[in-house]
């Protein structure tokens, strides 16, 4: 998942480490997962010692959150020391692959689009046997799919995310736009026209349309809304027919009409957050993390005016892009038992519920927990409705190469260098050999 760089804990409300009651709940949860020091040797290790974990330093849980989580883990597991490292999202994939032969990391954060590649090439470990059967019932279906490739699990979902529609309520009121008008994508364009005509903002919409994975995330959400799909039932590329074409036509039309800021084609999610928070845009798609930051007066000039809706609908429905991430164990790790303890701790409901400001839990029951609702009252009601309906980007071994081709061709359409149909036809033709 492409994510914009988020300041490490800057201005975000934080919580103390797990208290006694939370620790008791966590102990019971981990016991139910069968996690313990088995004393095994070899690749499993003793369940004690030092492990290294690789995370990204962008949206989702902040570095400050992860540092506090890890401190809590150390308190509960005095025989294990975790050394954490953070890199940008753009560097994460290549860092995992490059470090794999040396066994540098025991735990790695992986994007939803990587299990096919990293699992099939044995960069990460198949942990299917470690998965408690209850997890598949207790997690959102979209979360369960994050680390799965085929019938096997190559990790545990940890960051459950999709893009929501953010809007500036003060801007909308000035243009006499009602929230209900934003329920469909056609309605969003009509609202943008009204906001522009009222002189509220020159470019009401801003998007993450830089030639990066961010672009594919936005495109996927629109493709699903317009009834398209990445692959047909036989596994062939299908984004260049039907809804896939209509989605790109929608994107290009918003630029031609002067509704989408032209800087969108050079922006990723953090750029979108900054522009929206400066009051220079009225409508935007972005991940969970923007809700807290855009409504924080220390980081935003529009705090208090930021509202969140689930993704608008189109003729094909209203799926949100599955932008989730999972924690995986490196195949070369010699400390798999300790790594599994750490992963199980981070993913457990008590920990996820406590740190729900910037990343919401993978557990369905968490969305009725008062502390989760209090942590993100603007977003949780919409997330509870949206997270059950997610569209996945294609799980293919060559995903990164296919995505890069598609990014390039979509950019050409957005910039008016090709028609949407021509751009997608060219992308499908060039990418077919990669499948």
């Amino acid at each position: 998942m492409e994510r914009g760089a988020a300041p490490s804990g800057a201005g975000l409300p934080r919580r103390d480490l797990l208290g006694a009651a939370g620790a008791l709940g966590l102990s019971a949860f981990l016991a139910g997962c069968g996690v313990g020091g088995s004393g095994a040797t070899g690749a499993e290790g003793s369940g004690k010692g030092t492990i290294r974990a690789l995370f990204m330093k962008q949206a989702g849980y902040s570095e400050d959150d992860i540092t506090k989580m890890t401190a809590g883990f150390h308190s509960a597991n005095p025989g294990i020391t975790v050394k954490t490292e953070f890199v940008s999202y753009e560097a994460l994939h290549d860092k995992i692959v490059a470090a794999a032969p040396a066994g540098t990391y025991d735990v790695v954060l992986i994007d939803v689009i990587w299990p096919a590649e990293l699992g099939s090439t044995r960069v990460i470990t198949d942990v299917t046997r470690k998965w408690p059967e209850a997890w598949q019932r207790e997690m959102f279906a979209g979360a369960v799919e994050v680390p799965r490739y085929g019938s096997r699990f190559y990790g545990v979902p940890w960051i459950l995310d999709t893009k929501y529609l953010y809007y500036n309520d003060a801007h909308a009121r000035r243009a006499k736009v009602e929230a209900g008008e934003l329920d469909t994508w056609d309605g969003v364009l009509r609202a943008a026209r009204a906001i522009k005509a009222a002189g509220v903002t020159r470019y009401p919409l801003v998007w993450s349309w830089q030639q990066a994975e961010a672009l594919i995330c936005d495109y996927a959400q629109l493709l699903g809304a317009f009834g398209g799909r990445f692959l047909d039932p036989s596994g062939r590329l299908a984004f260049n027919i039907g809804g896939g074409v209509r989605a790109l036509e929608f994107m290009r039309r918003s630029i031609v009409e002067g509704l989408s800021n032209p800087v969108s084609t050079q922006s990723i999610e953090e750029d979108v957050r900054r522009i929206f928070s400066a009051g220079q845009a009225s409508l935007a798609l972005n991940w969970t993390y923007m809700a807290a930051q855009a409504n924080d007066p220390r980081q935003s000039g529009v705090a208090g005016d930021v509202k969140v809706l689930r993704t608008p609908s189109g003729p094909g429905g209203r799926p949100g892009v599955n932008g989730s991430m999972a924690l995986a164990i490196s195949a070369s790790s010699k400390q798999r038992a300790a790594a599994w303890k750490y992963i199980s701790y981070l993913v457990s409901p008590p920990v996820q519920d406590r740190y729900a400001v910037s990343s919401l839990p993978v557990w369905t029951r968490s969305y009725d927990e008062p502390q989760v609702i209090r942590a993100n009252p603007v977003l949780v009601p919409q997330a509870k409705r949206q997270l059950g309906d997610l569209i996945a980007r294609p799980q293919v071994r060559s995903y990164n190469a296919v995505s890069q081709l598609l990014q390039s061709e979509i950019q050409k359409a957005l910039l008016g260098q090709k028609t949407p149909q021509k751009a997608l036809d060219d992308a499908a033709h060039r990418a077919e050999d990669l499948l």
Side-chain angles (χ1 to χ4, degrees), residues 306-342:
V306 180
K307 304 296 181 184
V308 186
L309 297 172
R310 59 181 175 159
T311 184
S313 67
R318 60 168 84 241
V321 60
N322 194 334
S324 308
M325 304 186 83
L327 294 169
I329 299 175
S330 298
S332 53
S333 171
K334 304 301 183 185
Q335 292 277 17
R336 294 182 189 177
W340 183 254
K341 286 183 181 181
Y342 182 53

Side-chain angles (χ1 to χ4, degrees), residues 219 223 229-230 236-246 248-249 402 405-413 417-435:
Y219 175 67
L223 173 142
R229 57 174 63 186
F230 283 104
R236 294 181 64 84
L237 294 169
F239 52 71
N240 60 326
I241 59 175
V245 179
R246 290 191 292 272
L248 186 50
E249 289 172 343
V402 172
L405 282 175
L406 187 55
Q407 293 165 28
S408 174
E409 293 299 331
I410 289 177
Q411 273 267 307
K412 291 173 183 175
Q417 298 169 2
K418 292 184 180 181
T419 66
Q421 184 69 69
K422 173 64 172 171
L424 294 175
D425 282 343
D426 288 350
H429 176 72
R430 295 172 61 199
E432 196 68 48
D433 292 339
L434 298 174
L435 296 183

Side-chain angles (χ1 to χ4, degrees), residues 339-350:
W340 183 254
K341 286 183 181 181
Y342 182 53
I343 288 173
S344 298
Y345 180 92
L346 295 183
V347 173
S348 66

Side-chain angles (χ1 to χ4, degrees), residues 54 91-102 108 117-118 121 123:
L54 180 66
L92 185 60
H93 171 275
D94 291 353
K95 186 87 167 178
I96 292 170
V97 173
V108 292
E117 175 200 349
L118 301 183
T121 56
V123 171

Side-chain angles (χ1 to χ4, degrees), residues 176-233:
K176 296 181 171 57
V177 170
E178 300 289 336
E181 298 177 58
L182 304 174
D183 192 57
T184 67
W185 282 112
D186 285 345
V188 167
L189 286 193
R190 287 193 297 270
R193 294 183 189 110
I195 291 168
K196 186 178 181 73
V200 179
T201 48
R202 182 180 182 186
Y203 299 112
L205 286 156
V206 65
W207 308 81
S208 309
W209 289 352
Q210 180 178 309
Q211 190 173 321
E213 191 60 31
L215 171 58
I216 303 303
C217 291
D218 278 12
Y219 175 67
Q221 197 142 332
L222 289 164
L223 173 142
F226 283 91
R229 57 174 63 186
F230 283 104
L231 302 174
D232 67 19

Side-chain angles (χ1 to χ4, degrees), residues 40-272:
T41 58
E44 283 296 306
S46 65
K48 297 181 179 181
T50 299
I51 61 173
R52 294 188 64 185
L54 180 66
F55 299 97
M56 68 175 185
K57 54 183 177 183
Q58 290 167 276
Y61 295 113
S62 69
E63 292 181 51
D64 185 50
D65 285 340
I66 296 169
T67 298
K68 289 180 178 178
M69 292 177 190
T70 302
F73 175 77
H74 286 154
S75 296
N77 297 270
I80 302 174
T81 298
V82 182
K83 294 184 177 180
T84 58
E85 184 175 335
F86 299 85
V87 296
S88 68
Y89 173 85
E90 290 78 13
L92 185 60
H93 171 275
D94 291 353
K95 186 87 167 178
I96 292 170
V97 173
T104 305
Y105 303 105
D106 300 283
V107 175
V108 292
L109 180 64
I110 63 169
D111 201 350
V112 64
I113 52 181
W114 299 338
E117 175 200 349
L118 301 183
S120 64
T121 56
R122 299 182 183 179
V123 171
I124 53 178
T125 303
D126 180 343
V127 293
T128 306
R129 291 184 179 181
K130 294 179 179 289
W131 260 69
E133 190 275 333
W135 283 7
Q136 295 191 51
R137 299 192 307 270
E138 296 169 356
M139 293 179 178
F140 279 100
V144 172
E145 293 305 311
V146 173
R148 179 146 59 186
Y149 175 52
S151 62
R152 314 302 294 174
F153 290 107
Y154 289 92
V156 180
W158 187 46
I159 296 174
L160 179 59
D161 212 351
T162 190
K163 289 197 167 187
Y164 300 89
L165 182 69
Y166 290 82
Y167 75 98
N168 184 313
D169 188 50
H171 289 189
R173 284 187 277 108
R174 284 173 58 190
K176 296 181 171 57
V177 170
E178 300 289 336
E181 298 177 58
L182 304 174
D183 192 57
T184 67
W185 282 112
D186 285 345
V188 167
L189 286 193
R190 287 193 297 270
R193 294 183 189 110
I195 291 168
K196 186 178 181 73
V200 179
T201 48
R202 182 180 182 186
Y203 299 112
L205 286 156
V206 65
W207 308 81
S208 309
W209 289 352
Q210 180 178 309
Q211 190 173 321
E213 191 60 31
L215 171 58
I216 303 303
C217 291
D218 278 12
Y219 175 67
Q221 197 142 332
L222 289 164
L223 173 142
F226 283 91
R229 57 174 63 186
F230 283 104
L231 302 174
D232 67 19
S234 70
R236 294 181 64 84
L237 294 169
F239 52 71
N240 60 326
I241 59 175
V245 179
R246 290 191 292 272
L248 186 50
E249 289 172 343
F250 174 94
M251 296 163 74
R252 174 59 182 164
R253 183 165 70 251
S254 75
I255 293 177
V256 171
E257 290 190 28
L259 303 176
S260 290
N261 195 322
V263 78
S264 296
T265 59
Q266 305 164 44
S267 300
I268 58 174
E269 292 88 341
E270 184 61 4
D271 302 308
V272 168

Side-chain angles (χ1 to χ4, degrees), residues 265-288:
T265 59
Q266 305 164 44
S267 300
I268 58 174
E269 292 88 341
E270 184 61 4
D271 302 308
V272 168
R273 183 193 69 81
R274 285 193 291 263
I275 291 168
F276 185 90
S277 295
Q280 297 170 2
S282 306
L283 301 152
L285 273 185
N286 217 334
W287 306 107
T288 297

